[in-house]
Amino acid sequence: MKSFIISVACVLGLSMAACARPAAEGGSSDAPDTHVAAISGMPAANISQEDFIRASEQTVNGVVSVKSFATPRAGRQQAYGADPFSDPFFEFFFGGPGRQRVPQQQPEQPKQRQIGLGSGVIVSADGYIVTNNHVIADAERLEVTLNDNRNFEATIVGADPTTDIALLKIDAPSDLHVIPVGDSEHLHVGEWVLAVGNPFGFTSTVTSGIVSAKARNISSATGAPATGGIESYIQTDAAVNSGNSGGALVNLRGELVGINTAIYSQTGAYAGCSFAIPTSIVQKVMADLKQYGTVQRALLGIRFAEVTPELIAEKSISGTTRGIYVASVEDRSAAREAGLQEGDVVLALDDYPTHTTAQMQEAITKFSPGDRVRITYMRGGSKATTHATLRNAQGTTATVRETNPDNLGATFKAISPERLKELQISAGVEVESIDPEGPFAAQGMRPGFIILAINQARVSSPDEIKALARRIVKADSRERVMFISGFYPGGRQAFYAIDLNN
């Protein structure tokens, strides 16, 4: 479970870049002004202990424990001994040590160990499970345990660091308990909810609370460091702790309304504020991961700031006290096509209000590149509307497919001990062949190149290259680059940057 320490930060939404200006939290703007008389479809006066019991019984078997395993990586000093001259990185940058190498004893191959524990929610009878990306990040193997203690190996269908959502799959038995997905748009502030998960490894734990706020942006509200992703959380006071990540937030009808993701705490333990990703975001991300392996993320193409009293005074904004102030419009963007200008204040995308940064982020996640949206905005104190076709990060409306880390456009082979001795290196991988249409060829790499390291991590086998590629593909789109260092057998050193974005 993520925790946050108060510090100064600026929110940067990846669906559209935000101005370098702290934005004040607007709270729950989509809660009705009138008094809420009904909760979860039931009159408030009729809610009883039986409703909590029934909702717990209907959901506890649909939440699973997710354990992640990985092989510890030895540090460079451990791998190459205390002698810095035996480090192959020293050889690469400064040449050989000019003396006979002393053979280093090969360390024992480390075994996989558990690196994480979280929760997940069964969302379909054929074995699909939704959880947090940070629960499964860096995992080489995943193990899912049902509430009745049955274990299954899980595979990753897709993961999205921007929204912190991952979709897993197990070979499903016929009796999986599925939690129905509800509509988080219909949640009200003050409504009772239950958090179901595995805090501290205590399985099948249910805690209760109310919805404290909706469309909550943690970074702008608390001054905590920006996570770099979409932040439009349901805030509750249901007790959530480490191990609850990826678990279910349900209403009293037993419907999934959010995925528990984060807490605000200065100690790392629950302190009264917990946060869940609403199903309005989760459903779109799950559908894209299942169909495409990656999220079809739409961009409006503006740099913006949330309207605040200070900004109103500074920019002389009139006609509204809430909205998204357009600081600049990017070239070749949907916003430029729509005719938006600096100084406009965006109020809504279609029927989704954009009064706060969190609402803007949540609204944009509902769309895909190619969707045509109606934009409501203020200009010079007058309300206006326009339309635009949203685009992807490449400025087109094309469908983005996930990069296959097992098919990088090149083949690799291990180097025999005799060949390593001949090349005077202790580890490396040879590029055996290169697809002329692939990214390696586009960067000018040729067969026979000896790869020493990728993103500063030493490699010694083709499997290690594939494992590194899988980690890179899971990263944010801005970080999906392989920085490769090595040399050709003739001695020429070379560096390549391979972009794994489509």
Side-chain angles (χ1 to χ4, degrees):
M1 182 59 56
K2 296 180 181 177
S3 61
F4 298 87
I5 305 299
I6 294 179
S7 62
V8 178
C10 174
V11 179
L12 295 176
L14 294 188
S15 289
M16 55 202 75
C19 288
R21 169 189 298 276
E25 174 59 53
S28 175
S29 60
D30 43 357
D33 295 331
T34 56
H35 176 69
V36 178
I39 298 176
S40 296
M42 298 175 288
N46 293 341
I47 294 177
S48 65
Q49 182 178 5
E50 284 70 27
D51 297 314
F52 289 84
I53 295 173
R54 181 170 55 254
S56 300
E57 292 175 343
Q58 290 175 350
T59 56
V60 71
N61 290 318
V63 176
V64 302
S65 171
V66 179
K67 297 178 183 178
S68 57
F69 298 84
T71 304
R73 291 186 174 272
R76 287 170 57 187
Q77 183 169 345
Q78 177 183 351
Y80 303 113
D83 181 7
F85 296 102
S86 66
D87 188 334
F89 280 88
F90 185 95
E91 298 178 28
F92 183 75
F93 287 106
F94 301 104
R99 58 183 173 81
Q100 185 176 1
R101 292 180 57 85
V102 178
Q104 298 290 324
Q105 183 177 0
Q106 293 297 322
E108 183 180 352
Q109 186 69 21
K111 297 180 180 180
Q112 281 188 342
R113 63 178 178 85
Q114 184 175 334
I115 61 171
L117 172 66
S119 304
V121 181
I122 301 173
V123 291
S124 70
D126 53 351
Y128 284 95
I129 295 169
V130 65
T131 186
N132 285 139
N133 175 72
H134 73 261
V135 169
I136 56 91
D138 298 326
E140 296 173 0
R141 181 172 66 87
L142 293 173
E143 182 180 285
V144 167
T145 304
L146 305 187
N147 193 39
D148 59 8
N149 289 328
R150 286 180 292 173
N151 282 348
F152 299 90
E153 295 288 320
T155 57
I156 300 174
V157 177
D160 182 46
T162 301
T163 54
D164 199 15
I165 291 294
L167 187 63
L168 312 180
K169 180 73 165 61
I170 62 174
D171 290 332
S174 58
D175 57 347
L176 282 182
H177 185 90
V178 177
I179 297 181
V181 178
D183 188 353
S184 59
E185 296 284 352
H186 293 161
L187 274 179
H188 299 293
V189 173
E191 179 173 344
W192 282 102
V193 286
L194 305 178
V196 188
N198 305 285
F200 305 119
F202 295 115
T203 59
S204 309
T205 297
V206 180
T207 57
S208 66
I210 62 168
V211 176
S212 304
K214 294 178 62 180
R216 178 69 81 195
N217 187 304
I218 297 175
S219 300
S220 63
T222 65
T227 64
I230 301 299
E231 290 191 17
S232 184
Y233 296 109
I234 301 167
Q235 179 183 332
T236 79
D237 65 351
V240 169
N241 282 290
S242 177
N244 272 113
S245 285
L249 185 73
V250 300
N251 59 25
L252 292 190
R253 289 189 294 190
E255 297 171 333
L256 182 72
V257 292
I259 297 296
N260 294 315
T261 299
I263 60 175
Y264 173 70
S265 172
Q266 294 183 326
T267 65
Y270 173 72
C273 294
S274 55
F275 303 91
I277 304 169
T279 53
S280 59
I281 292 177
V282 173
Q283 285 185 288
K284 166 66 162 56
V285 173
M286 284 195 308
D288 282 353
L289 293 178
K290 187 174 182 180
Q291 184 172 358
Y292 305 107
T294 190
V295 176
Q296 304 303 304
R297 183 159 288 111
L299 303 179
L300 182 56
I302 61 173
R303 296 181 64 82
F304 65 84
E306 185 176 309
V307 172
T308 63
E310 295 78 14
L311 190 62
I312 291 173
E314 178 186 344
K315 301 296 184 180
S316 300
I317 299 172
S318 61
T320 183
T321 59
R322 309 187 74 184
I324 296 299
Y325 178 83
V326 178
S328 64
V329 179
E330 297 177 2
D331 292 337
R332 300 178 61 248
S333 66
R336 188 165 293 278
E337 173 200 350
L340 291 182
Q341 300 175 7
E342 180 180 344
D344 291 342
V345 178
V346 178
L347 303 177
L349 299 180
D350 279 356
D351 295 325
Y352 303 111
T354 58
H355 297 157
T356 66
T357 297
Q359 284 188 331
M360 184 64 155
Q361 291 180 331
E362 184 173 354
I364 202 71
T365 61
K366 301 176 188 294
F367 301 104
S368 297
D371 288 346
R372 189 162 179 81
V373 299
R374 182 180 70 259
I375 304 171
T376 304
Y377 64 99
M378 297 291 296
R379 177 181 295 173
S382 300
K383 183 180 290 189
T385 60
T386 184
H387 292 80
T389 301
L390 299 176
R391 306 180 186 185
N392 59 29
Q394 287 73 43
T396 72
T397 59
T399 297
V400 177
R401 295 285 179 176
E402 181 187 25
T403 299
N404 183 358
D406 294 325
N407 184 18
L408 296 172
T411 60
F412 312 96
K413 68 177 181 179
I415 303 176
S416 67
E418 295 76 18
R419 179 65 168 159
L420 291 174
K421 184 177 180 180
E422 178 185 338
L423 294 170
Q424 299 184 32
I425 58 175
S426 58
V429 178
E430 182 177 350
V431 178
E432 186 174 30
S433 65
I434 293 179
D435 181 351
E437 302 297 326
F440 282 77
Q443 293 300 312
M445 186 182 292
R446 302 194 308 273
F449 182 72
I450 305 299
I451 298 176
L452 291 179
I454 296 176
N455 293 3
Q456 299 184 341
R458 188 69 185 217
V459 294
S460 58
S461 71
D463 287 340
E464 288 184 359
I465 292 179
K466 291 180 179 180
L468 282 169
R470 291 189 187 100
R471 290 186 184 136
I472 294 170
V473 166
K474 293 177 186 176
D476 183 84
S477 59
R478 296 172 298 180
E479 301 173 356
R480 293 176 190 164
V481 180
M482 299 176 72
F483 294 101
I484 300 176
S485 59
F487 66 97
Y488 288 94
R492 182 172 72 87
Q493 299 174 0
F495 303 86
Y496 298 97
I498 308 299
D499 187 357
L500 296 187
N501 286 299
N502 289 329

